[in-house]
Amino acid sequence: MFMINYKQKITWLVSLMMFSTSSISYAALPAKQKDGTNLFEDKDMTVVIGSRTPEQLAAFYTGRGFNQASIDAITKKCFIFGMVDNKTYEVLWLTLNDWKFFAADGSPMKRMKKKDWLEIWQKTGLSQAHQSTFGWTQLPESRDLRQYEHVGGNVAVEWKDEPFKLVATFKTGADKGGESRTITVENLTCIAK
């Protein structure tokens, strides 16, 4: 029979406590749903991540009067939608610079930022009113979520034919100094049709 003496028990407990308190973040993997979306939910937050097809995007923006050159530019990018719901009293930060996309080979993928879209809109001649419409369909660059607040929208990355990964980190606390939360979404795809 294996016996642990008192000193070994204390050493083991102290080591366990040090390990658990030294962790500044935790990581989680969402569950794939039947509709192809990825859902992560616990007592603190709910996150849904999925992909948009070029046809969905073209239909949506055509219905809002976007010119064809702008629609063509939009459908050449890979759109991921996200919805985040904060269920705690602690402030939860959605900051897109804390979301990292990685290709199948592990290399970082380019995320389209506001300045990138402004360059595209200048080339395609998209009106200011339509640029504003596009802006409200995107996830904000940075947003603090209070209890029961949620946000949703799209984020665009460069097109990839093979599956890719998203590592989304959420800082907590009014000053972003709380425990970070990280969700990894594997096997995201740019849905061609």
Side-chain angles (χ1 to χ4, degrees), residues 69-86:
S70 299
I71 292 170
D72 291 344
I74 288 168
T75 58
K76 289 179 183 166
K77 303 300 178 198
C78 183
F79 278 70
I80 303 300
F81 69 85
M83 292 182 286
V84 181
D85 184 20
N86 183 13

Side-chain angles (χ1 to χ4, degrees), residues 74-119:
I74 288 168
T75 58
K76 289 179 183 166
K77 303 300 178 198
C78 183
F79 278 70
I80 303 300
F81 69 85
M83 292 182 286
V84 181
D85 184 20
N86 183 13
K87 301 191 292 188
T88 69
Y89 289 108
E90 189 169 33
V91 176
L92 180 71
W93 287 90
L94 174 126
T95 305
L96 290 182
N97 280 339
D98 295 334
W99 286 30
K100 307 298 180 194
F101 294 87
F102 297 96
D105 65 3
S107 63
M109 292 172 61
K110 179 182 178 180
R111 178 177 63 84
M112 298 294 293
K113 297 182 179 179
K114 188 174 182 176
K115 66 178 180 57
D116 300 315
W117 287 114
L118 289 175
E119 290 174 17

